């Protein structure tokens, strides 16, 4: 993977890699287009293909930095769909810098685990120590990490 990704790494490593997901970061949309084209060419030169159906982008407006007006993110001639939020490594990242979608997702995951385990946690025959350990191992991580 280092051979494939060294073409998109700059002096500051503005990239993240996790299994088959890669995040290309640049301050402008034209910069993202350039990095995306280099990544496509590098993959294709090694016999890989960049999935055009799974590729999407998120524009983060965290500051009043420079933004390209009327520049679309494209892969070849295909326009890449823009998303308002993206789930990456279990967290939901929103383009406006808010965290409410991620918090709601984590709370929902915690409640789902609570519902699935309530039979054990509410059972009067289970020792309280075992209930506490079960809660710490199953329910709490779901609330903290959204998994």
């Amino acid at each position: 993977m280092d051979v494939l990704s060294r073409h998109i790494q700059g002096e500051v490593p503005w990239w993240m890699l996790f299994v088959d997901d890669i995040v290309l970061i640049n301050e402008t949309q034209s910069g993202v287009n350039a990095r995306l084209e280099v990544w496509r060419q590098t993959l294709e030169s090694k016999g890989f293909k960049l999935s055009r159906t799974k590729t999407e982008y998120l524009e983060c407006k965290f500051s009043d930095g420079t933004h390209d007006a009327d520049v679309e993110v494209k892969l070849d001639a295909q326009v890449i769909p823009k998303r308002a939020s993206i789930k990456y490594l279990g967290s939901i990242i929103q383009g406006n810098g808010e965290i409410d979608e991620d918090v709601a997702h984590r709370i929902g995951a915690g409640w789902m685990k609570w519902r699935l385990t309530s039979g054990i946690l509410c059972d009067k025959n289970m020792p309280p120590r075992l209930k506490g350990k079960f809660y710490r191992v199953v329910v709490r991580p779901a609330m903290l990490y959204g998994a």
Side-chain angles (χ1 to χ4, degrees):
M1 197 47 90
D2 289 341
V3 172
L4 293 174
S5 63
R6 75 168 168 232
H7 292 68
I8 59 170
Q9 296 177 30
E11 288 182 25
V12 179
W14 284 112
W15 61 279
M16 295 182 280
L17 183 63
F18 182 75
V19 188
D20 63 344
D21 295 332
I22 188 157
V23 176
L24 302 174
I25 299 174
N26 202 291
E27 293 182 6
T28 63
Q29 288 174 319
S30 55
V32 170
N33 276 332
R35 284 181 179 256
L36 187 59
E37 182 59 25
V38 168
W39 181 238
R40 183 192 64 77
Q41 289 174 358
T42 303
L43 285 175
E44 289 178 358
S45 72
K46 305 293 183 191
F48 294 100
K49 252 174 88 174
L50 184 62
S51 173
R52 282 157 172 73
T53 57
K54 294 182 181 179
T55 303
E56 52 194 21
Y57 84 99
L58 170 72
E59 181 181 4
C60 297
K61 296 182 180 180
F62 300 144
S63 66
D64 292 332
T66 57
H67 297 285
D68 294 339
D70 303 327
V71 175
E72 294 177 320
V73 176
K74 292 183 177 183
L75 186 58
D76 292 331
Q78 181 181 346
V79 176
I80 303 298
K82 183 178 179 179
R83 300 278 307 267
S85 63
I86 291 178
K87 187 172 184 179
Y88 187 71
L89 300 178
S91 294
I92 298 175
I93 302 166
Q94 293 176 246
N96 60 5
E98 302 275 328
I99 61 168
D100 43 334
E101 279 187 45
D102 192 43
V103 170
H105 168 71
R106 290 173 189 233
I107 291 170
W111 276 114
M112 182 61 69
K113 289 298 178 190
W114 176 263
R115 281 187 212 105
L116 291 172
T117 61
S118 64
I120 294 169
L121 295 172
C122 297
D123 186 355
K124 293 180 182 182
N125 296 325
M126 294 291 280
R129 252 181 94 148
L130 183 59
K131 289 181 186 181
K133 189 171 188 174
F134 196 77
Y135 171 80
R136 284 189 301 279
V137 170
V138 177
V139 178
R140 191 183 294 169
M143 293 181 82
L144 292 175
Y145 308 114

